[in-house]
Amino acid sequence: MQVIQNCAVIGAGTMGSGIAQVAASAGLPVTMIDASADALGRGMQRIQDSLARLVKKGTLKPEDAEAITKRIKPSPELSEAGGADLVIEAIFEDEAVKRATWEKLNAACRADAIFASNTSSISISRLAAAVANPERFIGMHFFNPVPVMKLIEVIRGNRTSPEACATVVELSKRLGKNADRGQRLPRLHLHRVLMPLINEAIFAVYEGVAKPEAIDEIFKLGMAHPMGPLTLADFIGLDVCLNIMEVLQRGFRRSQVPPLSAAAPDGRLR
Ligand code: CAA
C-alpha cells in the first residue's frame, strides 16, 4: 500500500472544490486544476465560504482555515498534476470528455501515480482503458456537500489492483470518510437505490399526481429526509441525474418486482 502525500484534483466545480477542501483539511497539499479561470475563482470562493461556516460555528480556528486555503494551489494547467501521488478527476459526467482528459493526464503524470475518477455512473473499467496502467485506476465517488457527507464509494475496475484499492481506502479514512468498497459499475450501491426514487418522484410530477413541493414535503415529514427527492435532484443537478439514470437503464434488465421481496425466508431483508 502507498501512503498518499499530495494530490491533484481535476475540476473546480461543486465536487472538485469540495474534494480539494477535505484533502487540504487532512493536511495534503492539493493542486486544484480547471481550464476555466472563472471556475477556479468560484471553486476557491466556495472553499473559503465553507471553511468560514466552520470558523463561525467554532469547530475550526481561523488560522487553520487560512492554512487549509494556502495548501490549495489553483491552476489552469493539466500538466501541474505531473508530480501528484494521487489524481482525482471530478469533471462533467461525460465519458468521452473524461477519457480525453485521462489520456492527457496519463501523458503528464508519474507512472506510479494513482488515478481516481469521481464518476457516479460511468464504468471504471472503460475509463481505465484511457491510461497505460489500468491497475492503478479506481473510482472514488464522493457525495455533495463533500465536507459534510461521510461516505466515499470506492469502485474497482476489472483490472484495479488490491494495492490501489487499499491505498484509496486508507486515504478515505484520513479524509474522515467511511469507504464503501463497491463492486463494479453499474452497481454503485447508492445510486441504484436513490435514482429510482428520484425517477418516480419526477414521474409523479409529470403525470400530475402532485406538485413538486408536496412530494418533497411527504419525504421530509414522513421519512425525516433532510430534503425531498426533487430538491435533492436539483441539488445533484438534473443533467447529472439524467446521465446516471440512463447508465442504470442500460446496465440493468429486471422485472418490475424483485423476486427476493416475495422469497425472503423470514419476510425480512436484514
Ligand atoms: N461546508 C461545510 N459545512 C456545511 C456545508 C458546506 N458546504 N453545507 C452544510 N454544512 C453544514 C452546516 O454547517 C451544518 O452543520 P451543523 O449541523 O454542525 O451546524 C450542517 O451541515 C447542516 O447545514 P444547514 O443547517 O445549513 O442546512 P441543512 O440542515 O438544510 O443541511 C444539507 C444541508 C447537509 C445539505 C442537508 O440538506 C442534506 O444532508 N441534504 C441531503 C444531501 C444529500 O443527500 N447529498 C448526497 C447527494 S448524491 C451525491 O452527491 C452523489 C452524486 O453522485 C451526485
Side-chain angles (χ1 to χ4, degrees), residues 5-8 23-24 27-31 70-73:
Q5 310 282 7
N6 64 68
C7 73
L28 300 182
V30 180
T31 310
K70 280 200 180 128
R71 274 197 284 277
I72 304 172
K73 179 184 173 193

mmCIF file of all heavy atoms in Angstrom, residues 5-8 23-24 27-31 70-73:
data_model
loop_
_atom_site.group_PDB
_atom_site.id
_atom_site.type_symbol
_atom_site.label_atom_id
_atom_site.label_comp_id
_atom_site.label_asym_id
_atom_site.label_seq_id
_atom_site.Cartn_x
_atom_site.Cartn_y
_atom_site.Cartn_z
ATOM 1 N N GLN A 5 0.734 11.392 -0.211
ATOM 2 C CA GLN A 5 1.270 12.590 0.475
ATOM 3 C C GLN A 5 0.738 13.886 -0.129
ATOM 4 O O GLN A 5 0.855 14.950 0.480
ATOM 5 C CB GLN A 5 2.805 12.633 0.371
ATOM 6 C CG GLN A 5 3.499 11.356 0.771
ATOM 7 C CD GLN A 5 3.592 11.190 2.280
ATOM 8 O OE1 GLN A 5 3.015 11.974 3.024
ATOM 9 N NE2 GLN A 5 4.284 10.167 2.725
ATOM 10 N N ASN A 6 0.246 13.821 -1.363
ATOM 11 C CA ASN A 6 -0.277 15.043 -2.009
ATOM 12 C C ASN A 6 -1.222 14.622 -3.123
ATOM 13 O O ASN A 6 -1.198 13.452 -3.536
ATOM 14 C CB ASN A 6 0.868 15.884 -2.592
ATOM 15 C CG ASN A 6 1.589 15.144 -3.693
ATOM 16 O OD1 ASN A 6 1.044 14.902 -4.764
ATOM 17 N ND2 ASN A 6 2.831 14.744 -3.440
ATOM 18 N N CYS A 7 -2.052 15.532 -3.568
ATOM 19 C CA CYS A 7 -2.944 15.131 -4.659
ATOM 20 C C CYS A 7 -3.277 16.300 -5.578
ATOM 21 O O CYS A 7 -3.069 17.469 -5.235
ATOM 22 C CB CYS A 7 -4.217 14.489 -4.124
ATOM 23 S SG CYS A 7 -5.365 15.607 -3.361
ATOM 24 N N ALA A 8 -3.730 15.941 -6.765
ATOM 25 C CA ALA A 8 -4.256 16.927 -7.711
ATOM 26 C C ALA A 8 -5.720 16.609 -7.910
ATOM 27 O O ALA A 8 -6.103 15.432 -8.008
ATOM 28 C CB ALA A 8 -3.499 16.839 -9.034
ATOM 29 N N ALA A 23 -9.309 17.254 1.269
ATOM 30 C CA ALA A 23 -7.926 16.756 1.184
ATOM 31 C C ALA A 23 -6.989 17.736 1.881
ATOM 32 O O ALA A 23 -6.124 17.328 2.671
ATOM 33 C CB ALA A 23 -7.531 16.550 -0.283
ATOM 34 N N ALA A 24 -7.169 19.035 1.620
ATOM 35 C CA ALA A 24 -6.310 20.048 2.262
ATOM 36 C C ALA A 24 -6.566 20.077 3.771
ATOM 37 O O ALA A 24 -5.641 20.279 4.567
ATOM 38 C CB ALA A 24 -6.563 21.420 1.638
ATOM 39 N N GLY A 27 -4.508 17.795 5.605
ATOM 40 C CA GLY A 27 -3.077 18.110 5.618
ATOM 41 C C GLY A 27 -2.357 17.890 4.297
ATOM 42 O O GLY A 27 -1.142 18.088 4.213
ATOM 43 N N LEU A 28 -3.076 17.470 3.251
ATOM 44 C CA LEU A 28 -2.399 17.216 1.968
ATOM 45 C C LEU A 28 -2.272 18.499 1.150
ATOM 46 O O LEU A 28 -3.247 19.238 1.014
ATOM 47 C CB LEU A 28 -3.206 16.219 1.113
ATOM 48 C CG LEU A 28 -3.467 14.827 1.651
ATOM 49 C CD1 LEU A 28 -4.230 14.012 0.627
ATOM 50 C CD2 LEU A 28 -2.174 14.122 2.006
ATOM 51 N N PRO A 29 -1.089 18.750 0.571
ATOM 52 C CA PRO A 29 -1.018 19.810 -0.430
ATOM 53 C C PRO A 29 -1.840 19.390 -1.661
ATOM 54 O O PRO A 29 -1.750 18.248 -2.098
ATOM 55 C CB PRO A 29 0.475 19.878 -0.793
ATOM 56 C CG PRO A 29 1.182 19.077 0.253
ATOM 57 C CD PRO A 29 0.192 18.089 0.793
ATOM 58 N N VAL A 30 -2.658 20.310 -2.164
ATOM 59 C CA VAL A 30 -3.574 19.978 -3.269
ATOM 60 C C VAL A 30 -3.382 20.969 -4.415
ATOM 61 O O VAL A 30 -3.322 22.178 -4.187
ATOM 62 C CB VAL A 30 -5.049 20.086 -2.799
ATOM 63 C CG1 VAL A 30 -6.013 19.746 -3.926
ATOM 64 C CG2 VAL A 30 -5.313 19.217 -1.588
ATOM 65 N N THR A 31 -3.290 20.457 -5.627
ATOM 66 C CA THR A 31 -3.372 21.328 -6.800
ATOM 67 C C THR A 31 -4.766 21.144 -7.385
ATOM 68 O O THR A 31 -5.147 20.020 -7.735
ATOM 69 C CB THR A 31 -2.309 20.933 -7.859
ATOM 70 O OG1 THR A 31 -1.044 20.830 -7.197
ATOM 71 C CG2 THR A 31 -2.225 21.962 -8.962
ATOM 72 N N LYS A 70 -4.322 27.858 2.058
ATOM 73 C CA LYS A 70 -2.983 28.006 1.476
ATOM 74 C C LYS A 70 -2.446 26.700 0.904
ATOM 75 O O LYS A 70 -1.578 26.710 0.036
ATOM 76 C CB LYS A 70 -2.006 28.529 2.541
ATOM 77 C CG LYS A 70 -2.116 30.020 2.753
ATOM 78 C CD LYS A 70 -0.852 30.556 3.404
ATOM 79 C CE LYS A 70 -0.959 32.050 3.627
ATOM 80 N NZ LYS A 70 -0.653 32.436 4.984
ATOM 81 N N ARG A 71 -2.929 25.573 1.437
ATOM 82 C CA ARG A 71 -2.462 24.276 0.912
ATOM 83 C C ARG A 71 -3.038 23.979 -0.472
ATOM 84 O O ARG A 71 -2.656 23.031 -1.123
ATOM 85 C CB ARG A 71 -2.828 23.144 1.881
ATOM 86 C CG ARG A 71 -1.800 22.948 2.978
ATOM 87 C CD ARG A 71 -1.940 21.595 3.662
ATOM 88 N NE ARG A 71 -3.059 21.542 4.572
ATOM 89 C CZ ARG A 71 -3.047 21.990 5.833
ATOM 90 N NH1 ARG A 71 -1.967 22.519 6.336
ATOM 91 N NH2 ARG A 71 -4.126 21.893 6.588
ATOM 92 N N ILE A 72 -4.045 24.776 -0.903
ATOM 93 C CA ILE A 72 -4.683 24.528 -2.207
ATOM 94 C C ILE A 72 -4.134 25.504 -3.234
ATOM 95 O O ILE A 72 -4.253 26.722 -3.085
ATOM 96 C CB ILE A 72 -6.215 24.679 -2.104
ATOM 97 C CG1 ILE A 72 -6.753 23.743 -1.018
ATOM 98 C CG2 ILE A 72 -6.876 24.380 -3.462
ATOM 99 C CD1 ILE A 72 -8.211 23.948 -0.692
ATOM 100 N N LYS A 73 -3.523 24.927 -4.272
ATOM 101 C CA LYS A 73 -2.972 25.774 -5.331
ATOM 102 C C LYS A 73 -3.891 25.666 -6.556
ATOM 103 O O LYS A 73 -3.978 24.590 -7.160
ATOM 104 C CB LYS A 73 -1.562 25.280 -5.689
ATOM 105 C CG LYS A 73 -0.916 26.065 -6.794
ATOM 106 C CD LYS A 73 0.437 25.457 -7.150
ATOM 107 C CE LYS A 73 1.002 26.144 -8.379
ATOM 108 N NZ LYS A 73 2.119 25.425 -8.945
#
